């Protein structure tokens, strides 16, 4: 009997380099059924990793297997996999229905017409199915591409930045759809550079930074690590030296520095508390705050902190 | 296989491409008609060497085929749609061969009609010469198509490199360097014409007909095999 917790996808010591540039470096992880989020800033190596996981790109070293079989040069495996790349890889001269039908034909789907009907209904594009795809909005194209990706009812779905270009309503629909598919037992790997996107969807997160696996596990553990990181906040005020003297006494502040241009740079590990305390302090001291901005709130700095430990 | 074939047919039959192919295919017919109407018409040998051997087999047919076979994969790579085909559970030869067949399907009729009409005019309705030239030029289509289909998968500059190949290899080297003819697709096609009708291209030092047939088969098989191999090993964008 097979182990029910056996990994659906196994990535073992995978690296990929282009000349002297290392895109992915010695990454290992297992993917189980459910939704796994591949999170990382732009250029972190997510797409390269996904391309190796789908067999589209060769690994420089290491091994990728799916259901225990090598992925590369194994076309038969694609009966069980659906892949949606980050590029809008559609044939503009086709209608949405023709595109989904073509993908179904290529995947040898039995009862093709029914499968196409089902896939298009799933993405809620029945009314637009006979329109040419070059007349679709970006979000509609993404959804029709998803229909084409699931037309053969794959056991594994690999989606590279699937929510790109979707408006808020489409995002909600897309998320519900992925949750529905995961509920049917599908193993889904999706990449994103947006924390909140992955937080809402993924049971497990793989954090990729500079081509390396920086962290993996449940989202809460990773989120907790993010919340404890120190933030730098830049404050522009009328009386910077007076504000600096007062602000250093706040429990949420660890250090204060006054820049040559008069702006304050505050280091805090409790940024949410600082958000509450700072306006009160300014009001009490009669100091006018002109600008308050986080200096390192980008994902890159978050990931940089995690990688730095 | 039929899904890839029909998809490629749709990709290759855009209006502008068909117009260009029509114009290219009409050129030898127009030139043949024009030459025959001249008071001092060229001899059959001159016409064969200049118009059929050099221009038709060495320039027009490769250009027609390059415009089709050269882009059948190259456009998919450029548009990043090749992944749609490669991520399907079909052996790679079932992607490569329909692509090649689709290029042949579109190019074949243009070249066949052009060759038949040109031969009919130039050889004054001689059925043996017309048949030989039509078959020989269709062989040229198959040879060039297998080469350019592979080229379109190897490089994104398939059209440019294909043009250089046509001008430098088929146009210059094979015309002036005798040994190169053994590696010239144009000369394989002309040798087929000569094999079917020995009155055609008698002055060209061409290999015997059975050898040429074998060389043609080997060339198509090798280029098709290279295409399949490339499709299996390449990183698909």
């Amino acid at each position: 009997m097979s182990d029910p917790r056996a990994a659906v996808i196994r990535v073992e010591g995978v690296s990929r380099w282009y000349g002297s540039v290392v895109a992915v470096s010695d990454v290992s992880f297992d993917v189980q059924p459910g939704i796994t989020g591949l999170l990382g800033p732009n250029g972190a190596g997510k797409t390269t990793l996904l391309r190796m996981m789908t067999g589209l790109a060769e690994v420089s070293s290491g091994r990728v297997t799916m259901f225990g079989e090598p992925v590369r040069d194994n076309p038969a495996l694609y009966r069980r996999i659906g892949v949606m790349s980050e590029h809008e890889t559609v044939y503009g001269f086709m209608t949405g229905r023709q595109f989904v039908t073509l993908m179904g034909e290529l995947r040898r789907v039995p009862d093709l017409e029914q499968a196409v009907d089902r896939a298009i209904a799933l993405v809620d594009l029945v009314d637009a199915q006979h329109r040419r795809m070059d007349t679709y909005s970006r979000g509609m194209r993404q959804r029709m591409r998803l229909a084409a990706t699931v037309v053969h009812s794959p056991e594994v779905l690999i989606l590279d930045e699937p929510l790109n270009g979707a408006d808020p309503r489409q995002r909600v629909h897309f998320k519900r759809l992925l949750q529905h598919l995961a509920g049917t037992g599908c193993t889904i790997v999706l990449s994103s550079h947006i924390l909140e996107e992955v937080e809402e969807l993924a049971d497990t997160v793989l954090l990729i930074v500079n081509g390396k696996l920086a962290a993996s596990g449940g989202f809460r553990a990773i989120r907790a690590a993010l919340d404890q990181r120190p933030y730098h906040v830049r404050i522009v005020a009328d009386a910077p030296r007076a504000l600096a003297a007062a602000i250093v006494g706040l429990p949420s502040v660890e250090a204060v520095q006054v820049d040559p241009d008069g702006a304050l740079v505050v280091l805090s590990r409790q940024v949410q508390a600082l958000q509450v305390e700072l306006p009160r302090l300014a009001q009490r001291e009669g100091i006018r705050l002109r600008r308050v901005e986080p200096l390192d709130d980008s994902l890159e700095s978050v990931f940089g902190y995690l990688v730095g430990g | 296989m039929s899904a890839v074939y029909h998809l490629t047919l749709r990709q290759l039959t855009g209006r502008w491409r068909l117009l260009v192919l029509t114009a290219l295919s009409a050129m030898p017919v127009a030139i043949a008609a024009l030459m025959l109407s001249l008071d001092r018409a060229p001899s059959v040998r001159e016409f064969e060497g200049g118009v059929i051997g050099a221009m038709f087999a060495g320039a027009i047919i490769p250009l027609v085929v390059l415009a089709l076979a050269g882009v059948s994969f190259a456009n998919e790579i450029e548009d990043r749609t090749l992944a749609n085909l490669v991520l399907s559970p079909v052996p790679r030869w079932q992607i490569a061969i329909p692509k090649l067949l689709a290029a042949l399907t579109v190019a074949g009729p243009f070249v066949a009609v052009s060759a038949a009409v040109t031969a009919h005019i130039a050889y004054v309705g001689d059925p043996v010469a017309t048949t030989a030239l039509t078959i020989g030029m269709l062989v040229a289509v198959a040879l060039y198509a297998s080469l350019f289909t592979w080229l379109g998968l190897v490089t994104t500059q398939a059209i440019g490199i294909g043009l250089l190949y046509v001008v430098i290899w088929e146009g210059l080297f094979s015309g002036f360097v005798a040994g190169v003819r053994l590696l010239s697709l144009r000369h394989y096609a002309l040798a087929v014409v000569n094999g079917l009708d020995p009155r055609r291209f008698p002055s060209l030092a061409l290999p015997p007909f059975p050898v040429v047939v074998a060389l043609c088969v080997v060339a198509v098989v090798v280029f098709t095999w290279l295409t399949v191999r490339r499709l299996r090993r390449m990183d698909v964008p």
Side-chain angles (χ1 to χ4, degrees):
Chain A
M1 244 178 89
S2 62
D3 173 8
R5 290 295 297 165
V8 177
I9 306 170
R10 176 155 286 174
V11 175
E12 298 171 89
V14 163
S15 299
R16 174 68 201 234
W17 49 83
Y18 301 92
S20 60
V21 178
V22 178
V24 173
S25 174
D26 196 24
V27 170
S28 298
F29 57 84
D30 286 351
V31 176
Q32 310 286 353
I35 303 181
T36 298
L38 192 61
L39 184 64
N42 290 325
K46 301 187 299 291
T47 295
T48 305
L49 187 56
L50 287 181
R51 281 163 42 74
M52 290 189 288
M53 287 167 68
T54 55
L56 285 176
E58 181 76 279
V59 297
S60 298
S61 70
R63 204 166 101 99
V64 180
T65 53
M66 207 174 285
F67 303 110
E69 295 180 39
V71 177
R72 183 76 169 161
D73 198 19
N74 186 3
L77 201 58
Y78 294 126
R79 281 184 208 284
R80 306 175 73 180
I81 310 172
V83 181
M84 193 167 122
S85 68
E86 65 174 332
H87 306 293
E88 291 176 20
T89 52
V90 297
Y91 302 103
F93 56 83
M94 285 185 173
T95 66
R97 187 174 183 89
Q98 285 171 338
F99 180 62
V100 179
T101 303
L102 171 71
M103 293 300 110
E105 277 182 56
L106 286 169
R107 285 158 184 78
R108 310 271 200 270
V109 175
D111 302 323
L112 183 58
E113 288 301 310
Q114 281 182 15
V116 171
D117 285 340
R118 200 169 46 240
I120 292 174
L122 193 68
V123 298
D124 198 17
L125 279 177
V126 174
D127 293 341
Q129 64 179 314
H130 297 298
R131 270 172 52 194
R132 278 173 59 122
M133 291 187 79
D134 53 10
T135 67
Y136 284 4
S137 69
R138 201 171 170 200
M140 287 169 78
R141 274 201 294 273
Q142 287 287 79
R143 280 154 65 198
M144 198 53 99
R145 287 179 61 216
L146 183 64
T149 306
V150 301
V151 68
H152 58 306
S153 306
E155 295 162 67
V156 175
L157 264 182
I158 296 184
L159 312 170
D160 194 0
E161 303 271 2
L163 295 170
N164 265 1
D167 62 33
R169 193 180 138 271
Q170 288 167 339
R171 279 171 183 264
V172 171
H173 182 260
F174 218 97
K175 286 173 185 171
R176 279 193 197 137
L177 195 57
L178 294 183
Q179 281 160 342
H180 164 75
L181 290 168
T184 63
C186 195
T187 301
I188 301 173
V189 179
L190 68 94
S191 75
S192 176
H193 60 279
I194 299 169
L195 280 167
E196 285 67 27
E197 222 166 71
V198 175
E199 184 175 18
E200 286 172 36
L201 277 168
D203 312 312
T204 307
V205 178
L206 302 165
L207 199 60
I208 304 288
V209 186
N210 294 331
K212 293 178 180 166
L213 185 63
S216 65
F219 196 89
R220 286 208 177 95
I222 290 178
R223 187 84 221 193
L226 296 184
D227 288 344
Q228 287 165 14
R229 66 189 270 270
Y231 281 78
H232 289 89
V233 180
R234 185 172 182 271
I235 302 168
V236 179
D238 282 350
R241 296 200 176 275
L243 182 63
I247 207 171
V248 79
L250 291 177
S252 58
V253 172
E254 290 194 3
V256 181
Q257 177 191 323
V258 182
D259 276 356
D261 62 356
L264 267 62
V265 177
V266 172
L267 179 70
S268 171
R269 281 183 193 274
Q270 301 165 50
V271 76
Q272 284 178 332
L274 180 66
Q275 283 173 339
V276 177
E277 291 167 358
L278 179 62
R280 286 181 187 160
L281 175 76
Q283 192 176 29
R284 198 170 61 236
E285 299 291 328
I287 298 169
R288 191 166 178 185
L289 298 175
R290 297 201 173 274
R291 195 179 180 100
V292 179
E293 58 186 1
L295 286 181
D296 45 8
D297 206 24
S298 68
L299 240 134
E300 285 77 0
S301 73
V302 172
F303 294 140
Y305 167 72
L306 280 173
V307 174
Chain B
M1 275 184 43
S2 70
V4 180
Y5 175 74
H6 287 115
L7 169 71
T8 312
L9 277 185
R10 281 189 76 174
Q11 290 171 312
L12 296 181
T13 49
R15 191 189 310 159
W16 281 107
R17 183 172 282 120
L18 293 180
L19 280 174
V20 169
L21 297 183
T22 305
L24 280 171
S25 310
M27 280 175 70
V29 178
I31 290 170
L34 187 70
M35 285 186 163
L36 269 183
S37 68
L38 294 174
D39 291 339
R40 298 179 63 183
S43 68
V44 171
R45 295 283 169 271
E46 287 169 335
F47 185 80
E48 267 181 4
V51 177
I52 295 176
M55 194 184 83
F56 194 29
I60 290 177
I61 295 177
L63 288 178
V64 165
V65 177
L66 184 61
L68 297 163
V71 300
S72 67
F73 273 117
N75 282 357
E76 296 258 17
I77 292 171
E78 196 180 319
D79 298 342
R80 296 176 183 270
T81 50
L82 185 58
N84 290 327
L85 308 181
V86 170
L87 290 169
S88 57
V90 295
R92 297 299 174 247
W93 66 267
Q94 290 188 19
I95 297 171
I97 289 182
K99 287 268 176 198
L100 175 62
L101 289 177
L104 291 175
T105 304
V106 182
F110 282 100
V111 170
V113 170
S114 180
V117 176
T118 304
H120 185 79
I121 295 170
Y123 301 128
V124 207
D126 180 340
V128 177
T130 302
T131 307
L133 188 72
T134 306
I135 292 173
M137 296 305 103
L138 284 174
V139 169
V141 170
L143 290 165
Y144 286 126
S146 59
L147 168 64
F148 293 143
T149 302
W150 170 67
L151 193 64
L153 204 51
V154 173
T155 173
T156 51
Q157 310 295 324
I159 297 291
I161 294 172
L163 284 172
L164 284 177
Y165 160 80
V166 169
V167 173
I168 294 172
W169 189 259
E170 296 293 350
L172 286 175
F173 284 178
S174 75
F176 299 113
V177 185
V180 172
R181 285 177 194 161
L182 276 175
L183 295 171
S184 160
L185 301 184
R186 173 166 74 104
H187 282 86
Y188 291 179
L190 297 181
V192 169
V193 178
N194 177 258
L196 295 171
D197 182 355
R199 295 171 298 166
R200 311 279 69 92
F201 306 101
S203 57
L204 282 179
L206 298 167
F209 187 55
V211 175
V212 163
V213 171
L215 284 172
C216 290
V217 172
V218 167
V220 171
V221 169
V222 165
F223 285 127
T224 307
W225 176 78
L226 285 171
T227 306
V228 174
R229 184 169 173 269
R230 172 73 182 162
L231 206 49
R232 287 176 59 193
R233 296 188 173 189
M234 70 186 289
D235 280 359
V236 177

